[in-house]
Amino acid sequence: MAVRKILKIGNPLLRQTSEDVTESEIQTKDFKKLIRDMFETMRHADGVGLAAPQIGVLKKLVVVGQDDENERYPGTPEVPNQIILNPEITPLSGPGDGFWEGCLSVPGMRGYVERPDKIRMKWRDENFEEHEEIIEGYRAIVLQHECDHLFGVLYVDRLKSTKLFGYNEDIDTAGKLLD
């Protein structure tokens, strides 16, 4: 396994749309190594999720997982380890209360984003088996954030207001006041 370099905002690869993963790809040693490397990279960076474009691979592949308390998101619930290929998300609610999101590709910063807190997601797993699930709460937020990367979208594109964006050490994430 290897920790890969995470691309940062400004890198043009982060703004491109990824290609679907094919069934023949998942059988290769390189693809299996990519998945292991993504989990290793995510954990090394103390992340909750990582999308393949964040390490320069333009494929519709996301890994998520948060077993214990995450320093970057204290008090959030566990997110099970999961490998997601070719996801399709359908919102089932309007924007929720919002969440102070961060991103491994936008290090040291947070921004307030309102997303649907209930979604339907269809995807394939690492065995190319198809799944469909209704997902709510924090996990729905995480999955939407990561899947956005597959379409060249970063959380900064979804900020409720640019006044609700800043460096971790300077921004008051306890409040949501615009002025």
Side-chain angles (χ1 to χ4, degrees):
M1 291 191 290
V3 172
R4 304 244 190 139
K5 179 184 175 188
I6 297 173
L7 304 181
K8 293 184 177 86
I9 190 169
N11 187 304
L13 288 177
L14 290 172
R15 296 309 195 155
Q16 293 185 29
T17 298
S18 297
E19 297 177 0
D20 283 345
V21 174
T22 64
E23 189 169 8
S24 62
E25 282 179 284
I26 67 166
Q27 308 299 327
T28 67
K29 287 182 182 179
D30 286 343
F31 193 80
K32 292 174 184 184
K33 182 181 183 321
L34 172 62
I35 290 172
R36 288 191 306 271
D37 288 355
M38 286 180 66
F39 272 112
E40 183 74 15
T41 302
M42 177 186 75
R43 290 188 180 108
H44 181 264
D46 201 23
V48 178
L50 186 71
Q54 292 180 273
I55 58 168
V57 178
L58 293 176
K59 286 292 186 174
K60 290 183 181 168
L61 165 62
V62 165
V63 299
V64 296
Q66 175 183 315
D67 297 330
D68 49 12
E69 187 72 18
N70 184 292
E71 289 179 22
R72 292 179 64 233
Y73 299 102
T76 55
E78 180 179 321
V79 175
N81 288 337
Q82 191 172 21
I83 298 163
I84 299 161
L85 309 175
N86 307 334
E88 297 174 23
I89 293 177
T90 305
L92 298 178
S93 69
D97 286 338
F99 187 76
W100 285 97
E101 295 187 20
C103 182
L104 299 176
S105 291
V106 187
M109 301 188 87
R110 292 262 185 234
Y112 191 75
V113 178
E114 293 179 344
R115 297 181 186 267
D117 56 5
K118 184 176 183 180
I119 60 171
R120 174 180 287 114
M121 189 169 87
K122 294 180 184 180
W123 76 97
R124 292 188 178 271
D125 64 20
E126 66 275 18
N127 299 312
F128 219 67
E129 293 179 21
E130 198 167 319
H131 298 269
E132 182 174 340
E133 183 180 354
I134 293 176
I135 303 164
E136 298 183 66
Y138 177 66
R139 186 170 160 233
I141 302 301
V142 169
L143 291 169
Q144 289 172 86
H145 173 108
E146 296 306 332
C147 291
D148 269 355
H149 282 292
L150 306 178
F151 299 93
V153 177
L154 299 175
Y155 84 92
V156 297
D157 303 324
R158 299 192 184 279
L159 293 172
K160 178 166 177 72
S161 167
T162 55
K163 294 178 182 179
L164 298 172
F165 176 68
Y167 288 98
N168 290 341
E169 64 269 11
D170 295 326
I171 195 156
D172 176 15
T173 58
K176 302 175 199 165
L177 299 176
L178 294 175
D179 292 319

